[in-house]
Every structure is written in C-alpha cells, then in structure tokens.
Amino acid sequence: MAEQADSILGKNIQQTDWVSRLSTILLCAMMLFSIVSVPDFNRTASVAASTDHVNPINRFVWLGLLSMALPLIRARWAQILRLIKASWLLIGLFLYFTCSTVWALDPAISTRRIMFAWIEIILAVTLTCTMKDRKYLLKFIFISCLVAAVADLIVWILMPGYAMTSEGLAGIQSQKNQTGLIMMYGLLAGAPLLLYRPPKRERYRILAGMGLLFLLLLASRSKTCLGIIMVMPVLVVLFFKLTHSRMSLSVAIVTSISAIFICIVFGYFIWCEITNVSPFALFQDMTFTSRTDLWSFMFQEIQKRPWFGAGFYSFWSIDPSVQPSLKTSMWFGSEAHINEAHDGYLDLLATGGGSRIYLGSVGYHPHIHTGA
C-alpha cells in the first residue's frame, strides 16, 4: 500500500521546511483532539442521550484544524487531486452518505456529521500528501494515546469512584470500551516503533509507555481489545514467517493449521454424537457481553427502513425529540449511552440502507433470528 501511495503522489516530491513543520503540527493537534477530546465528567445515560447531538466545541476545533490545513492544500494541490482521484470508491461512498441527509430521520444532525466527515477526509488526504515520514503517524498515535492514558491514570487516582465504573476503568472517557480502544491503538502503534530500532533511551520510554497502556487496558476489562492485543503478536510472527519462508514451507504451515482446526471441529462433533448433546448447545446462552440482544434489536430497526436506511449518523445520534421510539432502554448501558451496534456492518445497514439485498443474500428471516 505504501508503494502504491508513493507512486500516486510521486516519489520525488520536494518537501519544504514549512510544509513539513506545519504538517507535523497539524497531525499532532488532530491526533490529540481525536483521542483525548474534551472530557465531560458527567457519565449519565440520560444526560448523554440529550447532548450527544450537540457539541459546539467539537465543531470549532475541527473547523480550526481545516483552516490550518489550507496552506498545505494550496502547496500540494496537484498531489491531493491525484490521491482523491485514486480514492474514487471512498469518495463515491461518502457522496452517497451526503445524499442520505435528504431523507435522514434527523437531517440536522446528519448534515453536521457529514460535514465533519468531509473535513476529516480532507485532513487525512492533506496529511498523506505532506507528511515527510509516515513514521510520524505511528509516533503521534502512540503519544496521543499515552497522553490519554496518563490523564486516565490521574483521574483514577484523584476520582476513583468516577474513573472506575462497575463495567471497568473508563477514566475520562464516556465508557470503558472507549478507554480499551485507546489503549489498544496505542499498543498497536507503539510496537511497530520498536521495529525502527530507536536509540536505547527512546526504546525504554516506548516500552514504559506500552507497559502503562497495557495495565490500563487490563483495568478497562475490554475483552475484545485485550483479545486483539494478545493475538496480534502471534499473527505478526506467523505472517513474517510465511512471507520470509520458501513456498513449500508456507504451504505446509497453512495446511497444518487448517488440519488442526478441522480436527478440533470434527472431534467436537464426535463428542456431541457420543454424549447425545446438540452441537449448538454451547452457543445457545452465549451473548457476547449482551451484544446479541442489541443485534436482534438492530435487525428489527433495519427492517423498518430496508432500502435507504435512517441517513448518515441519523440513527444512534438522533435527537430524542425527533424520534422518541429510537431512544429505548436497550440503547443505554449501565454507565454510558450506547452509540454503536458493536458491528460495523449493522451500523452501515441501519444508516445507509440496502438491507433487502444484503439480508436476502445471506438468507436472513426476522421471524427466525429475532423472534419477531
């Protein structure tokens, strides 16, 4: 991917000092605000439900970041246009999302969110065309996550009753899953920095920061993020071995892993046959931390607007006064307002539509899967 981007942007682009410095400052400010943001210190579901569609500070900050990027856009206009043309599929998708504001359940919130989405796309394209070294992206993601981790730690020390919820450590974030995501992203950015062989002192600082991120990830009790962090090193080592081995050895490794998996599944079916137990009994009471109930609710809501959806961001962040029926008790966790389906495909179907085609292709029937 990096080589393709270089070929699109041109490998011999001359970087001037002010472009490199301004790009670095913009990247740092963008990452810090995206990850740290403005803490609310009010973790109440009813308050979140009434205010999550209005954030004037967020609006002014993103418009300020866009104004900072204008000199960079002017300096790299040709490269930015080439990258936009190469990203036609992404641009086309967001053009459809822009059109969805016309039929959105809450056109006001949908219009504001699509405006912010276009600002973020413009900033991402601009930084891609002006960053001197892509290592800076990893570095600033790691630093921003580390700043958030230090803030969470301080709040945990000073306000333990607020920071540590019944579900896990949330710190200054709205819920523990958001804290877990920040720690996970920091770890995923910090580990590749070690592959650049930094100086000894810097390497120790990176390891210390990763240690803090991992401890707070454990405290957040985010099982999904922790599982990704535990599995990722194994996958990276396996991928490295496969790409740096002979074809015959790579095929042997893949075949062996597949055979082991098939044997485990086959053995499980034999055990079920011997003990006269249903093969699906193991999964009947599995809720994936109550997400299956949320997914069933999502399927029912998607079926109400199968073709065009609710409109971009006009589902989770909808104003309760516009559609009170969408603000049911199922939309709230014990500590914070739930603002996602924990499944990106369901979120896309709910907001963008197309569910008749998709659910028909996978053989979904609401009366079977949701009990409707």
Side-chain angles (χ1 to χ4, degrees), residues 222-286:
S222 180
K223 305 179 190 67
T224 304
C225 296
L226 182 60
I228 292 173
I229 291 300
M230 299 301 291
V231 170
M232 190 57 65
V234 178
L235 294 178
V236 170
V237 172
L238 179 61
F239 181 77
F240 180 82
K241 292 292 185 183
L242 290 175
T243 54
H244 290 76
S245 301
R246 291 177 299 177
M247 180 61 70
S248 58
L249 181 60
S250 300
V251 172
I253 293 175
V254 173
T255 303
S256 300
I257 294 175
S258 302
I260 292 172
F261 176 76
I262 292 173
C263 288
I264 292 174
V265 174
F266 187 67
Y268 173 71
F269 281 120
I270 292 177
W271 177 80
C272 291
E273 180 68 23
I274 294 174
T275 57
N276 197 24
V277 175
S278 172
F280 302 101
L282 183 64
F283 309 101
Q284 286 177 351
D285 297 327
M286 191 176 293

Side-chain angles (χ1 to χ4, degrees), residues 19 55 64 98 133 161 167 174 177 179 187 196 279 288 330:
V19 169
N55 192 342
T98 304
D133 189 347
E167 297 176 340
S174 61
N177 284 335
T179 302
L187 289 168
Y196 284 96
F288 296 102
M330 282 198 64

